Amino acid sequence: MNMPPDSKNLSSLRDKSPSFHRLHATDLDRMRGMYLTAEELRGFDKYKYKSEDTSPLSNFLTHPFWNFVVELFPRWLAPNVLTFSGWFLLFMIYAVTCYYDPHFTAAGDRDESKRLPSLWWLIFAVAHFAAHTFDGCDGKQARRTNSSSPLGELFDHGLDSSAAFLIPISLFSIFGHGPHCVSLWELYRVMLACLAGFYCAHWEKYNTGTLFLPWTYDASQIAIAFVYLITFCYGVDVWKFELKEGIPFALYFGGQFMVRCSLILTVAMTLYNMYQARVSKTDRGLPFLEGLRPLFSFFVIVFLFCTWAIISPSNILEIQPRLFFTATGIVFSNVTCRLIVSTMSNQPCQSMNVMFYPLFACVLIAPFVRSTELEVGILVCYTAAVAVFHVHYGIFLVRELCDHLRISCFSIKKL
């Protein structure tokens, strides 16, 4: 049990925390929650959102459109309802593609009855466009209803961290793997590139204190909606043509264009923005090694999962690709959420995530597992465990911040 702070500590806490007047003395005993420390809660009290969006597409097309759409929503609608609704549409797309195409083989199957019903592609196009619209309107709804808070940003970016893997995994059902398609390693590389692009934006914010929105984000979301729409009109075979002899379009687009855009362009802009912030002394002033700390967790994710896939006796990536991709995405989402919390609360980020330890154990025992069913069972158990833990983390993280800020997540009324 935490002991009550003495009067000196209370005075220090009062000076550091603008929201101290909202807390009763008895509340100080339980300021530390299951996932948020007292220092992190005080950091959230001081947090100010800073972002830059210089994309011509955003400024001249999407933002004017969202400004129009947000006026259609009632003022009593909480911004987080829009955020969650958009995420739920993306999860629906993911769930449907998992049901119809668990191994990314439906697109390459010549039997039309084994492919996704064509109507789903139209539903996906509408759902993805709506999800992107909701994601763009939630912040505007918060400012429109005067309900902006650190919770809104944490909730939005936290769900975005899972959308970063839900979107590519769903999209892979269009291209699949097999003849005139893409190998599973190519698909996995594309997903890791998408995750790296998203992570770079928050690594950049960890160092600069400002979220620089990448130019590629809005363009990619609109393009994905059009890809779904084209697939509805012409079928998945429309993507099976070859640019050169023996080089399928999907392989070139996924293996070359996507990886180069996500890594080269995004990383280059990230390093440039961090350099400019350091020179102009507008960054957070972190020591060099502290600024690099978030990269360690991302490299651990890539290293452990790729090692498991390479040394697996039963070739786990080929047997359960969607489950393997999902496990990677969940661990990535949890690591990113914790980085977002550290950035917003102005605290050092974690070097090791609790999900790494069972993953490390899975990698150690994988070479000695001679049964395919057993290795699949290990992957299923690990994925289920990290999924439950991540959902628990998200729910209680939001609850702790809601209690501290005296607000409700899905209502604009203060508690």
Side-chain angles (χ1 to χ4, degrees):
M1 175 182 289
N2 295 327
M3 297 299 294
D6 56 25
S7 58
K8 182 178 179 180
N9 289 335
L10 284 174
S11 176
S12 175
L13 181 60
R14 183 182 294 106
D15 293 337
K16 294 180 180 179
S17 175
S19 64
F20 181 87
H21 64 278
R22 296 182 310 202
L23 295 171
H24 299 290
T26 55
D27 290 334
L28 294 174
D29 295 347
R30 47 190 176 86
M31 276 191 69
R32 180 185 177 93
M34 185 178 298
Y35 294 115
L36 289 175
T37 65
E39 291 78 11
E40 288 171 333
L41 290 172
R42 287 194 292 267
F44 275 107
D45 286 329
K46 302 175 183 178
Y47 176 73
K48 300 294 183 183
Y49 177 62
K50 291 173 59 180
S51 68
E52 289 189 18
D53 189 355
T54 59
S55 167
L57 179 64
S58 300
N59 291 317
F60 293 106
L61 179 61
T62 57
H63 279 293
F65 174 70
W66 295 336
N67 288 333
F68 167 76
V69 172
V70 75
E71 295 296 330
L72 303 178
F73 296 120
R75 289 186 178 272
W76 51 260
L77 184 66
N80 287 338
V81 173
L82 293 177
T83 306
F84 185 79
S85 298
W87 177 86
F88 183 80
L89 290 173
L90 297 178
F91 183 80
M92 179 272 295
I93 299 174
Y94 165 83
V96 172
T97 54
C98 284
Y99 176 78
Y100 281 103
D101 185 21
H103 300 97
F104 301 118
T105 56
D109 201 311
R110 292 303 176 184
D111 188 349
E112 295 286 343
S113 64
K114 295 182 180 179
R115 295 182 176 182
L116 272 75
S118 60
L119 181 61
W120 277 115
W121 300 119
L122 177 60
I123 296 173
F124 293 167
V126 175
H128 192 92
F129 181 80
H132 182 225
T133 301
F134 291 162
D135 188 49
C137 289
D138 54 6
K140 298 180 183 297
Q141 178 73 353
R143 291 184 289 274
R144 178 172 173 249
T145 58
N146 196 29
S147 59
S148 299
S149 72
L151 173 67
E153 182 183 345
L154 178 62
F155 192 76
D156 184 9
H157 294 169
L159 290 181
D160 284 346
S161 69
S162 61
F165 76 88
L166 293 176
I167 293 173
I169 292 178
S170 303
L171 196 63
F172 291 161
S173 285
I174 290 179
F175 303 103
H177 73 98
H180 303 290
C181 296
V182 187
S183 72
L184 287 170
W185 272 107
E186 289 288 347
L187 292 179
Y188 194 56
R189 186 172 70 162
V190 170
M191 189 189 78
L192 291 177
C194 294
L195 300 184
F198 184 88
Y199 198 77
C200 275
H202 290 280
W203 172 50
E204 179 181 46
K205 187 180 179 184
Y206 182 77
N207 282 272
T208 65
T210 301
L211 182 63
F212 295 90
L213 300 173
W215 283 26
T216 55
Y217 175 70
D218 283 339
S220 64
Q221 299 307 301
I222 295 173
I224 290 172
F226 273 106
V227 167
Y228 284 134
L229 185 60
I230 292 171
T231 306
F232 165 71
C233 295
Y234 302 102
V236 294
D237 289 334
V238 72
W239 309 107
K240 299 299 188 294
F241 63 90
E242 295 182 352
L243 293 178
K244 297 179 181 180
E245 185 176 356
I247 303 180
F249 165 76
L251 175 60
Y252 179 83
F253 182 78
Q256 304 295 328
F257 180 76
M258 284 291 294
V259 172
R260 288 176 181 176
C261 282
S262 296
L263 291 181
I264 298 178
L265 181 61
T266 302
V267 172
M269 289 302 299
T270 295
L271 295 176
Y272 174 77
N273 290 332
M274 290 168 58
Y275 171 76
Q276 288 292 100
R278 174 71 66 162
V279 170
S280 61
K281 300 187 183 303
T282 58
D283 64 349
R284 295 178 61 200
L286 299 178
F288 179 74
L289 293 179
E290 176 61 33
L292 293 178
R293 187 197 294 235
L295 296 181
F296 178 77
S297 293
F298 184 79
F299 288 141
V300 170
I301 294 173
V302 175
F303 174 77
L304 289 179
F305 275 103
C306 287
T307 301
W308 188 356
I310 292 171
I311 67 176
S312 169
S314 57
N315 202 348
I316 193 69
L317 184 63
E318 293 283 343
I319 297 174
Q320 288 292 337
R322 195 180 291 269
L323 193 62
F324 194 85
F325 286 23
T326 299
T328 305
I330 294 172
V331 176
F332 166 83
S333 180
N334 193 264
V335 167
T336 307
C337 285
R338 293 174 186 272
L339 174 60
I340 294 170
V341 169
S342 299
T343 302
M344 295 181 67
S345 61
N346 197 28
Q347 296 296 314
C349 75
Q350 294 182 351
S351 297
M352 291 292 290
N353 188 285
V354 66
M355 295 182 178
F356 292 166
Y357 301 110
L359 177 59
F360 183 68
C362 291
V363 173
L364 284 180
I365 66 175
F368 307 101
V369 178
R370 298 306 177 187
S371 168
T372 300
E373 291 77 10
L374 179 57
E375 187 170 10
V376 170
I378 293 173
L379 177 60
V380 169
C381 291
Y382 178 75
T383 306
V386 294
V388 170
F389 177 80
H390 186 51
V391 171
H392 185 275
Y393 173 79
I395 292 174
F396 280 85
L397 181 69
V398 169
R399 287 181 58 180
E400 288 172 23
L401 192 54
C402 284
D403 290 343
H404 179 69
L405 299 176
R406 299 296 192 267
I407 59 177
S408 174
C409 182
F410 296 113
S411 170
I412 60 176
K413 295 180 180 180
K414 292 188 176 182
L415 300 177

